Tab-separated table of all heavy atoms in Angstrom:
chain	number	residue	atom	x	y	z
A	151	VAL	N	0.862	-1.220	0.048
A	151	VAL	CA	-0.007	-0.029	-0.040
A	151	VAL	C	0.830	1.267	0.012
A	151	VAL	O	0.637	2.135	-0.804
A	151	VAL	CB	-0.983	0.017	1.160
A	151	VAL	CG1	-1.762	1.325	1.337
A	151	VAL	CG2	-1.917	-1.178	1.146
A	152	LEU	N	1.902	1.241	0.762
A	152	LEU	CA	2.751	2.497	0.937
A	152	LEU	C	3.630	2.694	-0.149
A	152	LEU	O	3.810	3.737	-0.747
A	152	LEU	CB	3.530	2.372	2.230
A	152	LEU	CG	4.385	3.581	2.701
A	152	LEU	CD1	3.486	4.730	2.830
A	152	LEU	CD2	5.001	3.247	3.993
A	153	SER	N	4.371	1.612	-0.644
A	153	SER	CA	5.261	1.709	-1.687
A	153	SER	C	5.331	0.404	-2.513
A	153	SER	O	6.055	-0.601	-2.283
A	153	SER	CB	6.680	1.895	-1.042
A	153	SER	OG	7.571	2.366	-2.161
A	154	PRO	N	4.304	0.302	-3.486
A	154	PRO	CA	4.059	-1.020	-4.201
A	154	PRO	C	5.202	-1.577	-4.941
A	154	PRO	O	5.221	-2.750	-5.264
A	154	PRO	CB	2.929	-0.615	-5.097
A	154	PRO	CG	2.806	0.825	-5.072
A	154	PRO	CD	3.467	1.387	-3.915
A	155	LYS	N	6.183	-0.764	-5.270
A	155	LYS	CA	7.335	-1.348	-6.042
A	155	LYS	C	8.396	-1.957	-5.313
A	155	LYS	O	9.289	-2.611	-5.871
A	155	LYS	CB	7.937	-0.278	-6.962
A	155	LYS	CG	6.930	0.166	-8.127
A	155	LYS	CD	7.416	1.153	-9.080
A	155	LYS	CE	6.496	1.548	-10.248
A	155	LYS	NZ	7.123	2.516	-11.084
A	156	LYS	N	8.455	-1.710	-3.902
A	156	LYS	CA	9.500	-2.237	-3.171
A	156	LYS	C	9.242	-3.722	-2.748
A	156	LYS	O	8.114	-4.003	-2.413
A	156	LYS	CB	9.683	-1.394	-1.862
A	156	LYS	CG	10.259	0.045	-2.200
A	156	LYS	CD	10.468	0.748	-0.965
A	156	LYS	CE	11.018	2.121	-1.146
A	156	LYS	NZ	11.214	2.800	-2.371
A	157	SER	N	10.262	-4.518	-2.855
A	157	SER	CA	10.199	-5.903	-2.545
A	157	SER	C	11.043	-6.331	-1.367
A	157	SER	O	12.008	-5.593	-1.032
A	157	SER	CB	10.395	-6.755	-3.761
A	157	SER	OG	11.874	-6.650	-3.981
A	158	ILE	N	10.680	-7.393	-0.722
A	158	ILE	CA	11.558	-7.975	0.276
A	158	ILE	C	13.022	-8.321	-0.260
A	158	ILE	O	13.948	-8.155	0.452
A	158	ILE	CB	10.887	-9.201	0.994
A	158	ILE	CG1	9.579	-8.645	1.721
A	158	ILE	CG2	11.834	-9.865	1.886
A	158	ILE	CD1	8.702	-9.778	2.192
A	159	GLU	N	12.875	-8.939	-1.452
A	159	GLU	CA	14.107	-9.379	-1.985
A	159	GLU	C	15.132	-8.034	-2.305
A	159	GLU	O	16.352	-8.066	-2.055
A	159	GLU	CB	13.931	-10.002	-3.382
A	159	GLU	CG	13.235	-11.360	-3.235
A	159	GLU	CD	11.754	-11.329	-3.186
A	159	GLU	OE1	11.189	-10.170	-3.182
A	159	GLU	OE2	11.061	-12.356	-2.958
A	160	GLY	N	14.450	-6.983	-2.803
A	160	GLY	CA	15.188	-5.760	-2.935
A	160	GLY	C	15.744	-5.263	-1.635
A	160	GLY	O	16.849	-4.763	-1.574
A	161	ALA	N	14.958	-5.366	-0.519
A	161	ALA	CA	15.396	-4.898	0.765
A	161	ALA	C	16.620	-5.642	1.196
A	161	ALA	O	17.607	-5.036	1.706
A	161	ALA	CB	14.369	-4.964	1.798
A	162	VAL	N	16.562	-6.958	1.094
A	162	VAL	CA	17.798	-7.772	1.446
A	162	VAL	C	18.920	-7.414	0.518
A	162	VAL	O	20.122	-7.343	1.076
A	162	VAL	CB	17.402	-9.330	1.349
A	162	VAL	CG1	18.555	-10.203	1.432
A	162	VAL	CG2	16.300	-9.633	2.341
A	163	GLY	N	18.695	-7.273	-0.723
A	163	GLY	CA	19.781	-6.893	-1.618
A	163	GLY	C	20.393	-5.547	-1.316
A	163	GLY	O	21.646	-5.327	-1.322
A	164	GLY	N	19.501	-4.613	-0.772
A	164	GLY	CA	20.125	-3.315	-0.354
A	164	GLY	C	20.895	-3.468	0.888
A	164	GLY	O	21.942	-2.740	0.918
A	165	ILE	N	20.537	-4.200	1.854
A	165	ILE	CA	21.298	-4.414	3.098
A	165	ILE	C	22.656	-5.128	2.735
A	165	ILE	O	23.723	-4.739	3.194
A	165	ILE	CB	20.510	-5.260	4.095
A	165	ILE	CG1	19.286	-4.507	4.501
A	165	ILE	CG2	21.373	-5.527	5.336
A	165	ILE	CD1	19.345	-3.222	4.990
A	166	VAL	N	22.562	-6.211	2.008
A	166	VAL	CA	23.785	-6.916	1.613
A	166	VAL	C	24.778	-5.987	0.776
A	166	VAL	O	25.971	-5.977	1.027
A	166	VAL	CB	23.466	-8.348	0.803
A	166	VAL	CG1	24.699	-8.855	0.282
A	166	VAL	CG2	22.743	-9.223	1.760
A	167	GLY	N	24.112	-5.329	-0.186
A	167	GLY	CA	24.911	-4.368	-0.980
A	167	GLY	C	25.640	-3.346	-0.191
A	167	GLY	O	26.755	-2.993	-0.407
A	168	THR	N	24.846	-2.770	0.841
A	168	THR	CA	25.513	-1.692	1.598
A	168	THR	C	26.633	-2.363	2.415
A	168	THR	O	27.662	-1.778	2.585
A	168	THR	CB	24.371	-1.192	2.600
A	168	THR	OG1	23.386	-0.594	1.888
A	168	THR	CG2	24.922	-0.162	3.460
A	169	PHE	N	26.459	-3.590	2.920
A	169	PHE	CA	27.561	-4.204	3.682
A	169	PHE	C	28.758	-4.381	2.841
A	169	PHE	O	29.980	-4.064	3.151
A	169	PHE	CB	27.116	-5.595	4.118
A	169	PHE	CG	28.114	-6.363	4.940
A	169	PHE	CD1	28.111	-6.258	6.342
A	169	PHE	CD2	28.950	-7.176	4.260
A	169	PHE	CE1	29.117	-6.868	7.082
A	169	PHE	CE2	29.978	-7.887	5.111
A	169	PHE	CZ	29.989	-7.707	6.459
A	170	LEU	N	28.599	-4.857	1.620
A	170	LEU	CA	29.659	-5.167	0.652
A	170	LEU	C	30.290	-3.788	0.253
A	170	LEU	O	31.543	-3.656	0.096
A	170	LEU	CB	29.163	-5.842	-0.541
A	170	LEU	CG	28.754	-7.321	-0.235
A	170	LEU	CD1	28.111	-7.983	-1.377
A	170	LEU	CD2	29.835	-8.186	0.412
A	171	LEU	N	29.550	-2.744	-0.110
A	171	LEU	CA	30.055	-1.537	-0.461
A	171	LEU	C	30.948	-0.871	0.600
A	171	LEU	O	31.994	-0.342	0.383
A	171	LEU	CB	28.930	-0.561	-0.950
A	171	LEU	CG	28.249	-0.735	-2.236
A	171	LEU	CD1	27.007	0.059	-2.346
A	171	LEU	CD2	29.226	-0.457	-3.358
A	172	THR	N	30.495	-1.011	1.908
A	172	THR	CA	31.351	-0.463	2.901
A	172	THR	C	32.471	-1.260	3.164
A	172	THR	O	33.533	-0.732	3.445
A	172	THR	CB	30.379	-0.465	4.246
A	172	THR	OG1	29.190	0.317	3.994
A	172	THR	CG2	31.158	0.145	5.469
A	173	ALA	N	32.388	-2.532	3.095
A	173	ALA	CA	33.674	-3.391	3.088
A	173	ALA	C	34.722	-3.008	2.079
A	173	ALA	O	35.846	-2.840	2.396
A	173	ALA	CB	33.286	-4.887	3.007
A	174	LEU	N	34.184	-2.812	0.871
A	174	LEU	CA	35.138	-2.344	-0.211
A	174	LEU	C	35.768	-0.881	0.052
A	174	LEU	O	36.872	-0.733	0.022
A	174	LEU	CB	34.392	-2.253	-1.545
A	174	LEU	CG	35.125	-1.797	-2.713
A	174	LEU	CD1	36.306	-2.748	-3.084
A	174	LEU	CD2	34.252	-1.694	-4.011
A	175	TYR	N	34.747	0.046	0.519
A	175	TYR	CA	35.232	1.340	0.819
A	175	TYR	C	36.223	1.394	1.963
A	175	TYR	O	37.309	2.041	1.946
A	175	TYR	CB	34.050	2.198	1.196
A	175	TYR	CG	34.317	3.602	1.746
A	175	TYR	CD1	34.692	4.623	0.961
A	175	TYR	CD2	34.256	3.842	3.112
A	175	TYR	CE1	34.961	5.913	1.460
A	175	TYR	CE2	34.499	5.106	3.625
A	175	TYR	CZ	34.885	6.070	2.727
A	175	TYR	OH	35.144	7.293	3.283
A	176	SER	N	35.900	0.813	3.063
A	176	SER	CA	36.758	0.663	4.198
A	176	SER	C	38.068	-0.079	3.912
A	176	SER	O	39.154	0.225	4.476
A	176	SER	CB	36.103	-0.129	5.432
A	176	SER	OG	34.870	0.571	5.751
A	177	GLY	N	37.945	-1.128	3.078
A	177	GLY	CA	39.224	-1.823	2.709
A	177	GLY	C	40.232	-0.900	1.911
A	177	GLY	O	41.367	-0.878	2.076
A	178	VAL	N	39.637	-0.134	0.951
A	178	VAL	CA	40.429	0.748	0.174
A	178	VAL	C	41.090	1.859	1.055
A	178	VAL	O	42.265	2.216	0.775
A	178	VAL	CB	39.532	1.344	-0.998
A	178	VAL	CG1	40.299	2.461	-1.660
A	178	VAL	CG2	39.181	0.264	-1.967
A	179	PHE	N	40.291	2.390	2.001
A	179	PHE	CA	40.773	3.501	2.736
A	179	PHE	C	41.269	3.058	4.182
A	179	PHE	O	41.390	3.905	5.040
A	179	PHE	CB	39.704	4.629	2.959
A	179	PHE	CG	39.435	5.300	1.628
A	179	PHE	CD1	38.293	5.086	0.833
A	179	PHE	CD2	40.411	6.256	1.128
A	179	PHE	CE1	38.105	5.682	-0.314
A	179	PHE	CE2	40.181	6.893	-0.048
A	179	PHE	CZ	39.003	6.577	-0.832
A	180	ARG	N	41.446	1.823	4.321
A	180	ARG	CA	41.906	1.290	5.649
A	180	ARG	C	43.156	1.859	6.086
A	180	ARG	O	43.158	2.288	7.385
A	180	ARG	CB	42.130	-0.232	5.450
A	180	ARG	CG	42.396	-0.945	6.753
A	180	ARG	CD	42.495	-2.429	6.500
A	180	ARG	NE	43.213	-3.027	7.644
A	180	ARG	CZ	43.687	-4.290	7.684
A	180	ARG	NH1	43.457	-4.960	6.597
A	180	ARG	NH2	44.272	-4.685	8.683
A	181	GLY	N	44.170	2.128	5.286
A	181	GLY	CA	45.394	2.711	5.760
A	181	GLY	C	45.192	4.135	6.134
A	181	GLY	O	45.677	4.625	7.219
A	182	GLN	N	44.469	4.873	5.339
A	182	GLN	CA	44.282	6.380	5.746
A	182	GLN	C	43.441	6.394	6.977
A	182	GLN	O	43.536	7.392	7.782
A	182	GLN	CB	43.625	7.049	4.540
A	182	GLN	CG	44.396	7.324	3.283
A	182	GLN	CD	44.243	6.074	2.379
A	182	GLN	OE1	43.933	4.919	2.715
A	182	GLN	NE2	44.350	6.349	1.074
A	183	MET	N	42.497	5.542	7.177
A	183	MET	CA	41.621	5.613	8.396
A	183	MET	C	42.294	5.016	9.585
A	183	MET	O	41.867	5.379	10.704
A	183	MET	CB	40.304	4.746	8.100
A	183	MET	CG	39.444	5.348	7.028
A	183	MET	SD	38.059	4.287	6.677
A	183	MET	CE	36.966	4.520	8.042
A	184	GLY	N	43.231	4.258	9.317
A	184	GLY	CA	44.041	3.664	10.523
A	184	GLY	C	43.238	2.631	11.292
A	184	GLY	O	43.107	2.728	12.498
A	185	ILE	N	42.514	1.886	10.569
A	185	ILE	CA	41.647	0.832	11.170
A	185	ILE	C	42.161	-0.622	10.881
A	185	ILE	O	42.826	-0.747	9.963
A	185	ILE	CB	40.219	0.902	10.685
A	185	ILE	CG1	40.022	0.744	9.161
A	185	ILE	CG2	39.543	2.283	11.113
A	185	ILE	CD1	38.664	0.760	8.644
A	186	THR	N	41.691	-1.433	11.731
A	186	THR	CA	42.151	-2.878	11.640
A	186	THR	C	41.165	-3.672	10.772
A	186	THR	O	40.083	-3.112	10.342
A	186	THR	CB	42.134	-3.623	13.011
A	186	THR	OG1	40.725	-3.665	13.481
A	186	THR	CG2	43.053	-2.849	13.992
A	187	GLY	N	41.503	-4.807	10.395
A	187	GLY	CA	40.634	-5.631	9.543
A	187	GLY	C	39.278	-5.930	10.224
A	187	GLY	O	38.175	-5.894	9.634
A	188	ALA	N	39.290	-6.074	11.544
A	188	ALA	CA	38.133	-6.298	12.337
A	188	ALA	C	37.295	-5.066	12.254
A	188	ALA	O	36.049	-5.197	12.159
A	188	ALA	CB	38.414	-6.700	13.804
A	189	GLN	N	37.828	-3.930	12.324
A	189	GLN	CA	37.151	-2.668	12.297
A	189	GLN	C	36.428	-2.430	10.871
A	189	GLN	O	35.387	-1.851	10.825
A	189	GLN	CB	37.982	-1.426	12.597
A	189	GLN	CG	38.313	-1.428	14.070
A	189	GLN	CD	39.240	-0.324	14.492
A	189	GLN	OE1	40.233	-0.126	13.846
A	189	GLN	NE2	38.922	0.377	15.546
A	190	VAL	N	37.110	-2.946	9.784
A	190	VAL	CA	36.451	-2.951	8.531
A	190	VAL	C	35.123	-3.646	8.543
A	190	VAL	O	34.096	-3.141	8.069
A	190	VAL	CB	37.427	-3.547	7.407
A	190	VAL	CG1	36.606	-3.778	6.144
A	190	VAL	CG2	38.591	-2.653	7.239
A	191	TRP	N	35.110	-4.816	9.119
A	191	TRP	CA	33.844	-5.735	9.232
A	191	TRP	C	32.925	-5.076	10.250
A	191	TRP	O	31.604	-5.017	9.947
A	191	TRP	CB	34.195	-7.086	9.632
A	191	TRP	CG	35.024	-7.807	8.602
A	191	TRP	CD1	36.248	-8.181	8.740
A	191	TRP	CD2	34.759	-7.995	7.172
A	191	TRP	NE1	36.848	-8.674	7.586
A	191	TRP	CE2	35.874	-8.537	6.640
A	191	TRP	CE3	33.638	-7.648	6.441
A	191	TRP	CZ2	35.876	-8.942	5.308
A	191	TRP	CZ3	33.736	-8.052	5.102
A	191	TRP	CH2	34.779	-8.677	4.502
A	192	SER	N	33.350	-4.275	11.215
A	192	SER	CA	32.516	-3.633	12.158
A	192	SER	C	31.787	-2.489	11.447
A	192	SER	O	30.619	-2.289	11.564
A	192	SER	CB	33.221	-3.044	13.372
A	192	SER	OG	33.701	-4.005	14.170
A	193	LEU	N	32.596	-1.743	10.631
A	193	LEU	CA	31.840	-0.628	9.884
A	193	LEU	C	30.895	-1.131	8.804
A	193	LEU	O	29.957	-0.554	8.597
A	193	LEU	CB	33.046	0.191	9.156
A	193	LEU	CG	33.877	1.247	10.032
A	193	LEU	CD1	34.952	1.733	9.239
A	193	LEU	CD2	32.953	2.351	10.517
A	194	SER	N	31.313	-2.271	8.338
A	194	SER	CA	30.332	-2.898	7.272
A	194	SER	C	29.053	-3.331	7.977
A	194	SER	O	27.934	-3.081	7.478
A	194	SER	CB	30.988	-4.134	6.605
A	194	SER	OG	32.028	-3.751	5.993
A	195	ALA	N	29.121	-3.857	9.322
A	195	ALA	CA	27.951	-4.292	9.997
A	195	ALA	C	27.075	-2.933	10.323
A	195	ALA	O	25.950	-2.970	10.328
A	195	ALA	CB	28.237	-5.008	11.097
A	196	ILE	N	27.891	-1.923	10.735
A	196	ILE	CA	27.166	-0.674	11.086
A	196	ILE	C	26.436	-0.161	9.927
A	196	ILE	O	25.330	0.346	9.996
A	196	ILE	CB	28.227	0.347	11.631
A	196	ILE	CG1	28.659	-0.153	13.092
A	196	ILE	CG2	27.687	1.785	11.658
A	196	ILE	CD1	29.920	0.635	13.622
A	197	SER	N	27.068	-0.214	8.748
A	197	SER	CA	26.452	0.253	7.525
A	197	SER	C	25.232	-0.603	7.128
A	197	SER	O	24.240	-0.026	6.617
A	197	SER	CB	27.415	0.275	6.310
A	197	SER	OG	28.337	1.374	6.525
């Protein structure tokens, strides 16, 4: 009723995509950010 074109599959894809995009972003800038590998995954979960 509220947003007829949005799907559950799309929502899951958005969450997974956000996790992966943040992992990529954090991995690329890990040195500049001064974060550990565990913090890359933490940022991905936060995202």
